[in-house]
């Protein structure tokens, strides 16, 4: 899990995808009509599209992990981020909780809990 976060923070999406199981239970709650990368995904190809859509639509201004709590195969990563929406120039910030499960060294559950309402407002 820490290796996945390291690869993502270095912008190495392809290498990070190697640590994702297939199928995976990947979920980011929110309206897929308003925010194209929200919703449920199950394959690496879909997760690659998640990162592509997010990167095309937003620019990171800050992303901070404040705590990681791991027990057995489960981890919760707590933090805060701020992004700017490229089309509107508006920023949004949110605290987040990322829930992960690792089985046989592969991430097979990824649920991001964030303020999707604040994100949707920044797109208008």
């Amino acid at each position: 899990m820490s290796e996945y976060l390291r690869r993502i923070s270095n912008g190495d999406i392809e290498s990070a995808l190697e640590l994702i199981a297939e199928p995976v239970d990947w979920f980011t709650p929110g309206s897929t009509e308003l925010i194209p990368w929200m919703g449920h995904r199950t394959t690496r190809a879909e997760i690659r599209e998640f990162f592509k859509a997010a990167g095309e639509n937003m620019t990171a201004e800050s992303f901070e992990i404040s705590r990681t709590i791991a027990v057995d195969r489960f981890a919760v990563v707590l933090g805060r981020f701020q992004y700017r929406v490229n089309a509107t120039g508006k920023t949004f910030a949110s605290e987040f909780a990322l829930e992960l499960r690792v089985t046989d060294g592969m991430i097979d559950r990824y649920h991001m809990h964030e303020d999707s309402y604040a994100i949707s407002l920044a797109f208008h």
Side-chain angles (χ1 to χ4, degrees), residues 31 34-35 38 92 115-124:
S31 171
L34 296 174
I35 308 166
M38 297 290 183
F92 63 89
D115 187 351
S116 60
Y117 181 67
I119 297 168
S120 66
L121 290 177
F123 274 81
H124 299 290

Side-chain angles (χ1 to χ4, degrees), residues 4 13 15-26 42-44 47 51 100 105-108 110:
Y4 170 80
I13 303 304
S15 176
L17 289 173
E18 294 172 0
L19 302 174
I20 303 293
E22 282 191 296
V24 63
D25 176 13
W26 181 288
T42 60
T43 68
R44 287 187 193 126
I47 295 163
F51 284 111
L100 298 163
M106 303 291 281
I107 297 169
D108 63 357
Y110 178 110

Side-chain angles (χ1 to χ4, degrees), residues 12 15 19 24 30-32 42 47 56-58 65 68 70 73-75 87-88 93-95 106 115 121:
D12 191 358
S15 176
L19 302 174
V24 63
S31 171
T32 57
T42 60
I47 295 163
E56 289 173 348
N57 286 280
M58 305 181 307
I65 294 173
T68 301
R73 299 182 314 134
F74 300 92
T88 66
S94 177
E95 292 184 358
M106 303 291 281
D115 187 351
L121 290 177

